[in-house]
Amino acid sequence: SYALTQPPTVSVSPGRTASITCSGDNLEDKYVYWYQQKPGQSPVLVMSQDTKRPSGIPERFSGSNSGNTATLTISGTQPIDEADYYCQAWDSSTSVFGGGTKLTVL
Amino acid sequence: QVQLVESGGGVVQPGRSLRLSCEASGFTFSRNSLHWVRQAPGKGLQWVAVISYDGSNKYYTDSVKGRFTISRDISKNTLFLQMDSLRVDDTAVYYCARGGRSWNTEFDYWGQGTLVTVSS
């Protein structure tokens, strides 16, 4: 079955750029979606179709997808961006999530 | 505004059944696919099932095939998940999420979730 792999943790200093990767076989052939989840809250879509920011998501969030790796980039990271981030893609009729990345801003 | 409100969770013994509901508002129910996604305590997200916008297609993750059934009642704007033969590893918060008109797109709105605990 198809699998998406994310680093368990990423740390970044406030104001710097955070990059969260998501790897899968020939991932560039699929659309990748990204979700942010803060403790005790439901996930929120922060990136759609690799590079599209949904309405209300700050411009500091951007995405890319090339080869076997998709990347969610947060420029000028703020303390409020500290959260778990999940990538998601479809493989045939099954949706797959990455294991999640805990972003720490310190 | 789009709202999804789940209900029906609780504590159930292994092998028993439970039916979850998700009441939707703020959008035309029959124009979007709808999904169930679950999250075991302290774990990541796992997609469970989808029903297409017109109800003609239903897909499930392998671990629930033959045990779970997704359905909807358009007249009540409500999505359901019938869960039979429950197992301990089905314990999770279950979220309903709205998809696009195509079933294989993003989940753009999520409910608050309902907790299902399977335990003897």
Side-chain angles (χ1 to χ4, degrees), chain A residues 33 35 37 41-45 48 86 88 90 92-95 97-99, chain B residues 35 37 39 43-47 59 95 103-108 110-112:
Chain A
Y33 308 91
Y35 301 86
Q37 186 180 33
Q41 298 184 19
S42 302
V44 172
L45 178 69
S48 178
Y86 296 90
Q88 176 240 334
W90 285 89
S92 185
S93 57
T94 298
S95 185
F97 284 96
Chain B
H35 303 258
V37 178
Q39 186 169 35
K43 302 297 184 182
L45 301 171
Q46 181 187 28
W47 174 79
Y59 301 106
Y95 296 100
W103 49 264
N104 57 346
T105 57
E106 73 270 21
F107 313 129
D108 62 355
W110 297 62
Q112 85 288 349

Side-chain angles (χ1 to χ4, degrees), chain A residues 2-86:
Chain A
Y2 195 79
L4 295 175
T5 300
Q6 297 181 237
T9 60
V10 168
S11 297
V12 64
S13 299
R16 305 302 293 263
T17 297
S19 295
I20 300 172
T21 59
C22 173
S23 299
D25 288 343
N26 299 312
L27 188 55
E28 68 178 354
D29 294 336
K30 307 177 187 299
Y31 279 133
V32 175
Y33 308 91
W34 290 91
Y35 301 86
Q36 176 193 70
Q37 186 180 33
K38 296 182 178 180
Q41 298 184 19
S42 302
V44 172
L45 178 69
V46 296
M47 195 62 57
S48 178
Q49 292 185 343
D50 299 337
T51 61
K52 298 180 179 179
R53 263 183 305 106
S55 173
I57 301 303
E59 289 186 8
R60 63 180 180 272
F61 287 84
S62 63
S64 65
N65 185 9
S66 179
N68 295 323
T69 303
T71 303
L72 177 70
T73 301
I74 309 172
S75 304
T77 307
Q78 298 184 10
I80 59 170
D81 299 328
E82 186 163 288
D84 293 327
Y85 290 84
Y86 296 90

Side-chain angles (χ1 to χ4, degrees), chain B residues 7-9 17-21 69 71 78 80-83 86:
Chain B
S7 61
S17 299
L18 204 61
R19 188 174 86 153
L20 305 183
S21 300
T69 304
S71 64
T78 301
F80 301 103
L81 186 67
Q82 176 67 40
M83 304 186 294
L86 281 162

Side-chain angles (χ1 to χ4, degrees), chain B residues 6-97:
Chain B
E6 302 95 336
S7 61
V11 180
V12 61
Q13 293 179 327
R16 304 300 290 266
S17 299
L18 204 61
R19 188 174 86 153
L20 305 183
S21 300
C22 172
E23 188 169 347
S25 60
F27 66 101
T28 303
F29 192 70
S30 59
R31 291 185 181 175
N32 290 79
S33 59
L34 290 164
H35 303 258
W36 287 99
V37 178
R38 68 186 181 183
Q39 186 169 35
K43 302 297 184 182
L45 301 171
Q46 181 187 28
W47 174 79
V48 175
V50 60
I51 185 167
S52 60
Y53 78 97
D54 60 358
S56 63
N57 293 297
K58 301 176 183 180
Y59 301 106
Y60 302 87
T61 192
D62 284 347
S63 62
V64 309
K65 283 179 183 174
R67 301 189 300 121
F68 289 11
T69 304
I70 190 171
S71 64
R72 64 180 189 171
D73 184 337
I74 291 179
S75 68
K76 296 181 179 178
N77 278 7
T78 301
L79 174 73
F80 301 103
L81 186 67
Q82 176 67 40
M83 304 186 294
D84 298 324
S85 303
L86 281 162
R87 308 189 306 216
V88 171
D89 61 359
D90 293 318
T91 295
V93 173
Y94 284 73
Y95 296 100
C96 69

